[in-house]
Amino acid sequence: MLTSHLLNTLEAVQEIRARIGDIPGMPAGFWTWAALAALLHDTGKLPDGFQRMIGNTADKPAAWGERHEVLSLGFVHLLLEGLPEEERNWIAAVVAGHHRPFTAGLESPSKLPLLTQYGDDQPDAFAARFTPADQKHLTGLMGWLHATGRRHGLPLAERLPTPNVRQLTDAAHRLFQDVMDRWEWSIPPGDQSGRTAVLLLGAVTMADHLSSAHSPLDTEHPLDGTYPAQLAQRLAARGHTLRPQQRQAASVTDNLLLRSWTGSGKTEAVLLWAATQIGDLSTRSNGNPRVFYLLPYLASINAMTGRLAKELDSPDGIGVAHSKAASYHLAQSLADGCPGDDTDPVDAASKAHSRAEATKNFRELLRVGTPYQLLRGALAGPVHSSILTDSANSVFVLDELHAYDARRLGMILAIMSFWRDLGGRTAVLSATLPTALANMVNEALGEQTTLVEPPPESHAPIRHRLHIRQAHLTEDASLNEIRQRLADDQSVLVIANNVRYAITLFQTLRPYCVERHGEDSAYLLHARYRRMDRTAIETALQERFASGKPRRPGLLIGTQALEVSLDLDLDACHTSAADLEALVQRFGRVNRLGTLAPAPVIVHQPAYNRRRGGGGALWADGVYEAEPTQHGWNILTRHDGQTINEQVITGWLDEIYTSPWGRTWAKTVEDHRQQFERAFLEFSQPFGDRSCLAEKFDEQFDGIEAILAEDREDYKAALEQGASKRDGRLHADQYLIPLPAWGAGLGAYDKLLKVRIINADYDAQLGLQAIHHDIKQIYQAGEVI
C-alpha cells in the first residue's frame, strides 16, 4: 500500500538521521528536507496508468511509460508552498531524481533522462501524460500526507490543499521546469551544492531501500565503551597488560597511523582507538558512528570477520561488505550445522542472501570489506549515493594499505580526504609503513594524524634469519634444499610469484612429502580454483598449519594468495624475490608466534621477463615490477645470514621509496589521486547520468570469473535451487573460477546462463591449468555470444 511505504520511508529517514547525525558542511535544514522528500517521493503513483501497470485495476496490466517521480513534484509544490523557494527546490530535486538522471552524459544513457523525456512539454501535453487519475484518491492522499507530515513535526502548509487533478499536474510542471533550470548545467568549481545534492539523495534512497527491505538498522554497537575494560580483564587473566602502543592508540582522538610489528597487538590497538572515536564522534555528531575495517583481499576479509566476531563476542553484529558476501554467508550457514545434521542447503542459501542484503542495506554498525565498495559511492546517482551518506561521521580502519597499486592507492587517498570532510576518522596500520606512504596519508587527512609506534625500549621478537639464494626457486638446488627440510620433519612454506611455477613446484615436491608424512601433508593454494575447492583447501590448511596448533611436518606451496589470507605458522619459508613489503608478509607465516629460535626465510633470485600487455618493462617472474624488486634484493643481500630485526624494516623501505623509482611512484600516486577527485568527487552534475563513470570504475575493479565447460549442467542445476533466482545464484557461484586480468577474451559468454564458460584443464588439487580456445565448438550456434 502506497501510504504504508511512504510512512515507512519517512520513519527510515528518522532512523538514518539518528544513526548518521549532523553531517559537517551540510545546510541546517538537511534532515528536514530528507524527511519531506521521503514522505512525498512516490506520491506520483496516483494515475490510472501506473495503477494498471502494477495490477491494481480490472484491466490487463500494461506498461505505462511515464515517471511517477515527476508527478510527485505536484505534491511537493502544493504541500510545501510555505517553505522558502530554495528549500522547496532542494526537496523537489531529490524527489525527481531518486530513480532517473536529469541529463545524459556524452554517451547515450541506457534509460531516457528526465529532461529529454519531459523538457519540451507544455502544460497540456504534460497533463495528458499523467491523466486520467482518480480525484477521490487524490483528495484522500492529500489529506493523509498533510496529517502525517504535521504529526511528525514537518513544515507542511497549515491549510490542507484541495487541488483537482489538473491543478496537480500544473503544479508538477511548474516545479519540474524550476528543477531542470537549476540542474541542467554543471556547477561552477568550488560550489559545494553538488556534494549536498548527492548526500541528500543518498539519505532518501537509503530510506527507500530500507523501507522496501523491511530491514531495521542495528542500534547496539558491537564495539562499545566496555571493550577497553573487557580487553584489559582478558589480558590480566593471562598475566599480561596493555602494551604502550595500545594505551597510546586508545588515547588518540584524531586520525591514526599505527606502525608495529606482526604479533604486537595491532588489531587490539586499533579497536581501542576505534572505540575512542565512536565515543567522541557520537558526542560531536549526535549519531552512532559506523566502523569500516577495510582490507585488500577476500580471504583476509573473511578471516578478519571471524576474528572480530570472536574478539567482540558478537557473531551476528559484524557485516561482511564485499562482492562475495552472500557466498561467504552461505558457507557460514552450511558450516553452522553439527556433523551429521541434515542442514537444508536451500534454507541456508535463503538465509545467506538475506544476511548479505541486510549488509547491503547498511544494517550493521561494524563492517569488514574492501575499500572498493566504499569507493563505488563516488559513482553517486540513485544507486550509489547512499554509500556516501552512510560514510559520514564514520570510523575507517585501513589495514595492509601497502598492498594497493599506485592507481588504486591514489583513489583511496582521495576518498580518505572526502571522509575527513564528512566528519570521519581514519586509521592506517601496518607492520611496515614507509615514511613516503605515511606522509601521503597525513596530507590526505589534512595533516591531522598521530603516529603511534612501540616505544624505543621495546624490542620486536627476532623471529627470522635471512638467507639469499642465487638459484631460482624451481632449480634443482632449491628443490633439494626443500626436500632436506621435509626429511628433517619441518613444515615448509614455499611461495612462488606466479601460478605456473607454484603448480610445477607442487607436482615436483608433493610425492616426496607424501611418502614421508602422509597423503594429507602437502597442499597447494593459489587464486585459480573453484570456490568450493578453495574453501576445502583453506579448511585443511588451517587444520594442519594454523598458528597455535601443535606443529606437524608438511609442505604448503602457493602464491600471493598466502601472503595475508590465513593465520598460518610454519617452520621455514622458501620464496621467490618480490617487492619487499610482499616478502615481509610472506615471512610472517613462519615462526609467527615467535616460539622458535630464529627460523630460516630463504629468498631466491627471480627470473626477469616481459609479461602480457606489459610493454617493454621487465617483471620479476612476470608479476612484480623489476626496479623495486631489485632494490629490495640488494638490501636483503647486504643482510644475508643475519637475523631480521623487524624494527629496521621501515628504514629498508624508506631507502626504496626515496630512490628515483620511489619518487616516480609518488608522482604516479598523486596523479591518480587528482584524477579520481576531478572525475568522481567534484559532483559538478549530481543529477546527471554517470553510467560512463560506472563502466570505467567496473573495468578497474571487477574481477573476471568463469565456469568450466564440464560444470555447465551442474551450474545450471544449481541456479534452479533455492526459493529465488538469487538464492540459486549463491549455489551456482561455487563453480566460479577467477581468471587473470587479461581473461575477458577467454572462452565464450553463455547468454542463457549469463556466465563465461571456458574449456580448460582443471584439477581440484592443482586448480586451473591450460585454457583451450575451442570453446565455441562445444555449443550450438546461438547459445553463446
Side-chain angles (χ1 to χ4, degrees):
M1 186 175 180
L2 176 58
T3 54
S4 295
H5 174 64
L6 295 176
L7 179 59
N8 289 339
T9 308
L10 170 60
E11 291 175 345
V13 163
Q14 295 168 334
E15 191 178 0
I16 293 166
R17 177 180 187 175
R19 165 179 281 202
I20 294 175
D22 303 323
I23 305 175
M26 293 300 103
F30 180 91
W31 286 112
T32 299
W33 302 345
L36 287 166
L39 177 64
L40 303 175
H41 74 290
D42 275 354
T43 48
K45 294 179 177 180
L46 177 73
D48 293 356
F50 182 88
Q51 295 302 313
R52 179 182 179 183
M53 181 176 67
I54 63 173
N56 274 356
T57 69
D59 297 323
K60 181 180 179 180
W64 184 36
E66 305 302 335
R67 302 307 311 166
H68 69 269
E69 57 269 33
V70 173
L71 183 61
S72 297
L73 296 180
F75 292 87
V76 174
H77 192 285
L78 295 166
L79 284 164
L80 304 181
E81 62 179 0
L83 279 183
E85 182 179 359
E86 181 181 0
E87 294 191 31
R88 186 174 59 192
N89 286 349
W90 272 114
I91 298 161
V94 174
V95 168
H98 79 273
H99 284 306
R100 286 280 178 90
F102 293 173
T103 57
L106 296 177
E107 301 175 19
S108 298
S110 57
K111 297 177 180 178
L112 201 62
L114 297 185
L115 183 60
T116 301
Q117 189 169 356
Y118 298 102
D120 294 331
D121 281 0
Q122 296 302 309
D124 289 346
F126 186 89
R129 291 176 178 267
F130 297 102
T131 52
D134 189 285
Q135 178 64 46
K136 181 179 179 181
H137 289 165
L138 170 59
T139 301
L141 181 57
M142 273 288 185
W144 181 88
L145 291 166
H146 187 266
T148 301
R150 300 282 289 182
R151 187 170 66 251
H152 282 79
L154 298 176
L156 274 72
E158 291 188 13
R159 183 176 58 84
L160 171 65
T162 57
N164 58 39
V165 173
R166 179 54 190 261
Q167 289 170 326
L168 176 70
T169 63
D170 284 350
H173 181 262
R174 287 195 297 274
L175 194 50
F176 176 78
Q177 297 298 324
D178 292 343
V179 168
M180 293 301 113
D181 287 346
R182 171 67 176 86
W183 297 106
E184 180 178 1
W185 307 108
S186 296
I187 298 169
D191 188 333
Q192 294 299 307
S193 58
R195 179 177 294 187
T196 300
V198 167
L199 296 177
L200 188 59
L201 180 63
V204 174
T205 54
M206 189 194 309
D208 194 14
H209 297 157
L210 290 174
S211 173
S212 299
H214 307 290
S215 176
L217 298 175
D218 286 356
T219 56
E220 297 296 325
H221 215 300
L223 179 60
D224 58 24
T226 66
Y227 175 71
Q230 291 174 353
L231 175 60
Q233 186 177 6
R234 288 206 313 271
L235 292 172
R238 301 198 299 266
H240 302 300
T241 61
L242 290 176
R243 294 170 175 169
Q245 65 269 26
Q246 293 173 328
R247 289 195 297 270
Q248 187 181 355
S251 69
V252 172
T253 53
D254 210 330
N255 304 299
L256 174 70
L257 298 177
L258 177 60
R259 182 163 55 203
S260 188
W261 59 83
T262 300
S264 61
K266 288 194 299 295
T267 301
E268 292 81 2
V270 83
L271 290 176
L272 289 167
W273 168 84
T276 299
Q277 310 321 304
I278 291 169
D280 186 57
L281 286 176
S282 62
T283 300
R284 291 171 179 262
S285 68
N286 299 310
N288 195 357
R290 279 71 60 223
V291 175
F292 298 91
Y293 201 111
L294 305 176
L295 292 149
Y297 301 120
L298 177 64
S300 56
I301 288 166
N302 293 343
M304 180 56 70
T305 302
R307 178 175 178 180
L308 292 178
K310 182 178 180 181
E311 177 72 19
L312 302 175
D313 191 22
S314 181
D316 297 322
I318 314 298
V320 184
H322 59 69
S323 60
K324 313 305 180 191
S327 294
Y328 165 78
H329 286 300
L330 174 60
Q332 292 298 102
S333 297
L334 292 174
D336 285 343
C338 297
D341 284 356
D342 293 326
T343 304
D344 181 359
V346 174
D347 181 59
S350 181
K351 290 178 181 177
H353 180 73
S354 176
R355 177 71 182 276
E357 286 298 301
T359 300
K360 191 186 300 182
N361 286 327
F362 315 102
R363 180 173 74 83
E364 295 96 349
L365 287 160
L366 198 163
R367 298 171 223 158
V368 184
T370 72
Y372 309 141
Q373 277 63 50
L374 297 181
L375 281 165
R376 286 192 70 84
L379 297 174
V383 177
H384 301 102
S385 293
S386 51
I387 298 173
L388 292 180
T389 305
D390 186 54
S391 70
N393 296 318
S394 290
V395 178
F396 305 90
V397 176
L398 284 153
D399 203 349
E400 302 166 14
L401 190 61
H402 65 270
Y404 303 98
D405 60 33
R407 179 189 61 196
R408 297 181 184 185
L409 177 58
M411 298 168 71
I412 293 169
L413 291 170
I415 201 72
M416 285 168 61
S417 296
F418 185 83
W419 294 335
R420 176 203 67 199
D421 293 345
L422 297 187
R425 304 270 175 81
T426 298
V428 172
L429 60 155
S430 176
T432 55
L433 184 65
T435 302
L437 181 53
N439 290 341
M440 286 179 172
V441 172
N442 189 41
E443 181 180 355
L445 296 175
E447 310 293 337
Q448 297 176 345
T449 63
T450 299
L451 175 64
V452 171
E453 298 179 282
E457 62 271 17
S458 297
H459 298 288
I462 304 301
R463 300 183 298 160
H464 306 126
R465 186 177 295 277
L466 175 66
H467 302 278
I468 297 297
R469 299 287 187 267
Q470 295 296 327
H472 192 271
L473 190 59
T474 59
E475 293 183 19
D476 286 343
S478 306
L479 298 173
N480 289 334
E481 187 174 359
I482 295 168
R483 289 190 186 100
Q484 185 58 53
R485 295 190 186 282
L486 293 171
D488 293 338
D489 293 338
Q490 295 183 25
S491 55
V492 186
L493 174 67
V494 180
I495 301 185
N497 285 340
N498 62 51
V499 174
R500 178 168 57 88
Y501 287 153
I503 292 175
T504 299
L505 287 163
F506 182 75
Q507 290 175 317
T508 304
L509 293 169
R510 180 182 182 276
Y512 183 83
C513 183
V514 167
E515 180 181 355
R516 293 194 61 87
H517 303 299
E519 281 289 333
D520 63 344
S521 64
Y523 297 92
L524 173 68
L525 183 66
H526 52 74
R528 312 284 179 237
Y529 285 94
R530 297 186 304 182
R531 289 187 199 164
M532 63 179 77
D533 297 328
R534 175 165 182 150
T535 299
I537 294 170
E538 289 180 347
T539 301
L541 291 183
Q542 292 282 19
E543 180 62 29
R544 191 170 187 100
F545 300 123
S547 62
K549 283 184 173 286
R551 291 185 172 276
R552 300 170 65 187
L555 176 67
L556 172 55
I557 298 177
T559 61
Q560 176 181 296
L562 287 169
E563 289 176 16
V564 295
S565 61
L566 298 167
D567 182 18
L568 304 175
D569 189 4
L570 288 86
D571 296 331
C573 173
H574 284 259
T575 175
S576 290
D579 69 62
L580 185 55
E581 287 147 314
L583 291 177
V584 171
Q585 292 293 332
R586 296 175 186 185
F587 297 166
R589 306 295 162 238
V590 171
N591 196 14
R592 186 170 179 82
L593 302 181
T595 57
L596 306 176
V601 291
I602 302 94
V603 182
H604 295 257
Q605 178 82 279
Y608 290 97
N609 44 53
R610 294 175 176 83
R611 69 181 187 182
R612 185 191 302 260
L618 293 176
W619 301 80
D621 293 327
V623 175
Y624 291 92
E625 193 175 349
E627 193 168 351
T629 300
Q630 291 167 340
H631 274 301
W633 174 264
N634 293 337
I635 292 170
L636 295 175
T637 300
R638 297 201 305 261
H639 298 84
D640 185 16
Q642 301 176 14
T643 57
I644 300 176
N645 182 343
E646 295 183 39
Q647 289 173 303
V648 306
I649 290 177
T650 297
W652 294 358
L653 289 170
D654 286 347
E655 182 178 333
I656 295 172
Y657 282 97
T658 55
S659 69
W661 172 87
R663 292 192 290 274
T664 300
W665 170 85
K667 183 179 185 305
T668 302
V669 172
E670 175 61 17
D671 289 344
H672 285 297
R673 183 188 69 81
Q674 293 181 10
Q675 290 170 16
F676 188 75
E677 285 181 342
R678 287 194 299 267
F680 288 88
L681 295 176
E682 291 186 355
F683 307 116
S684 59
Q685 286 194 304
F687 296 104
D689 176 56
R690 290 164 70 96
S691 58
C692 59
L693 292 181
E695 292 170 5
K696 291 177 182 178
F697 188 96
D698 291 340
E699 286 173 2
Q700 296 180 52
F701 294 118
D702 273 7
I704 303 164
E705 295 178 307
I707 64 169
L708 300 168
E710 63 201 59
D711 285 336
R712 184 180 187 275
E713 293 308 310
D714 289 336
Y715 182 86
K716 181 179 179 182
L719 285 173
E720 296 170 358
Q721 294 186 46
S724 70
K725 290 182 178 179
R726 289 180 292 187
D727 291 348
R729 181 67 62 181
L730 285 176
H731 290 286
D733 281 356
Q734 300 304 307
Y735 293 92
L736 291 173
I737 303 171
L739 297 182
W742 44 266
L746 296 174
Y749 186 77
D750 188 317
K751 61 185 179 183
L752 298 179
L753 301 184
K754 298 181 179 179
V755 68
R756 181 162 295 279
I757 300 181
I758 55 174
N759 185 18
D761 296 333
Y762 182 86
D763 180 88
Q765 189 176 64
L766 300 178
L768 184 67
Q769 298 169 76
I771 301 175
H772 307 299
H773 298 280
D774 58 347
I775 184 68
K776 292 188 179 182
Q777 298 175 10
I778 296 175
Y779 302 102
Q780 296 177 354
E783 288 192 7
V784 294
I785 298 176

